[in-house]
Amino acid sequence: YLNRTSQSTTLYKGLTYSASLGITGGNPCFAQAWIDFNNNNAYETSETVGFQHTQFTGTTTFNIVIPGGVPSTTTRLRVATAYYSGVSTPLVPCPTYTYGETREYTVVITNPPPSATVAPNPLNFGNIVVGDSSIVRSFYITASYLSTPTGTITCTPTSNPPSGGTPSDFWISKDNFTFVQGPLDIAFTGSALACSVYVKFKPTSYSSYSGSCTVTGGGIGTPPVEIFNGIGVFPCSGTPTAGTAAISPSSGGNSTPFT
């Protein structure tokens, strides 16, 4: 047994990590890992977080899985290896194996940092007549592990070129009814948010537009950015004139090609 609790690392709930474990001597071994999630100074079978139950020599890799529902805590990770001969799997956390090694480390179990994603991305509006409004398109915000139990996520639209100094020619809404050009606040309760944002493109000049909507708030470290694209075009004008058409030859049989 080796006490390595002076060595510590942070593990996030709901994530899976790849662990690399090496042994010397060339004898085949099994391996298993546990975390004392409830901090009762004992390792239960349910606290197994990873294992390698195929005999290995040298170095092996296996997954360490941190469940999403465990409490935030500072606790211990135990890793055990055992010489395979006469040993059955799964291994036990307090072994009496003739050959093997057990080590313990300190781990900090906590929520991942606040994060958010947007999809689909980008939104393309195509050609829209200046002064008109496009059909409504939407994107979806998914945010998790937000830093406060209540708060707001803010969507801030921009466009290039801007329309006469206004913030954006891309208008956004949280209810598909009231559209704004400026920042849009979306309230959340709890540590997660999932909602749609609705977008209209209303060009005011004859130009190609590129726009975006940046999602901030809730402690999100890297704000996701939704991209918008559209083109403001001239409306049709004038009176259409009749064209001409011709066919050649003017007659033929049932196998005669015509142009």
Side-chain angles (χ1 to χ4, degrees):
Y1 171 81
L2 295 175
N3 187 326
R4 292 288 188 266
T5 54
S6 61
Q7 302 176 29
S8 176
T9 191
T10 297
L11 301 175
Y12 293 130
K13 302 176 191 179
L15 298 189
T16 298
Y17 298 85
S18 179
S20 177
L21 187 150
I23 60 174
T24 59
N27 294 314
C29 288
F30 300 124
Q32 194 157 330
W34 303 261
I35 292 179
D36 183 14
F37 288 117
N38 58 10
N39 254 324
N40 68 345
N41 297 315
Y43 295 97
E44 285 87 35
T45 301
S46 61
E47 294 178 321
T48 297
V49 292
F51 56 85
Q52 177 54 276
H53 290 164
T54 301
Q55 301 171 25
F56 72 95
T57 58
T59 299
T60 188
T61 58
F62 56 91
N63 288 334
I64 297 288
V65 180
I66 310 302
V70 297
S72 296
T73 187
T74 298
T75 187
R76 292 189 176 195
L77 161 72
R78 174 170 288 187
V79 181
T81 60
Y83 177 55
Y84 82 100
S85 181
V87 172
S88 61
T89 56
L91 303 183
V92 296
C94 297
T96 57
Y97 307 131
T98 303
Y99 302 103
E101 184 172 297
T102 299
R103 296 188 181 190
E104 281 192 317
Y105 303 89
T106 296
V107 290
V108 179
I109 308 297
T110 188
N111 287 326
S115 63
T117 59
V118 291
N121 195 6
L123 293 184
N124 296 311
F125 291 87
N127 296 338
I128 303 298
V129 172
V130 170
D132 285 352
S133 176
S134 71
I135 63 170
V136 174
R137 301 188 182 277
S138 65
F139 65 93
Y140 203 69
I141 299 174
T142 304
S144 57
Y145 300 105
L146 300 173
S147 59
T148 56
T150 59
T152 58
I153 293 292
T154 301
C155 299
T156 304
T158 62
S159 67
N160 182 29
S163 58
T166 57
S168 175
D169 280 358
F170 297 99
W171 295 61
I172 59 177
S173 171
K174 59 186 174 183
D175 58 9
N176 200 18
F177 180 74
T178 302
F179 285 81
V180 298
Q181 289 176 283
L184 179 70
D185 290 334
I186 302 172
F188 66 85
T189 300
S191 61
L193 171 71
C195 69
S196 293
V197 175
Y198 304 91
V199 187
K200 287 181 180 180
F201 176 43
K202 300 171 70 174
T204 55
S205 65
Y206 309 109
S207 179
S208 294
Y209 283 78
S210 61
S212 65
C213 188
T214 303
V215 179
T216 58
I220 298 169
T222 303
V225 179
E226 177 75 23
I227 302 300
F228 308 140
N229 295 300
I231 302 173
V233 297
F234 288 96
C236 294
S237 61
T239 302
T241 57
T244 59
I247 186 170
S248 176
S250 59
S251 63
N254 59 9
S255 61
T256 301
F258 290 89
T259 303

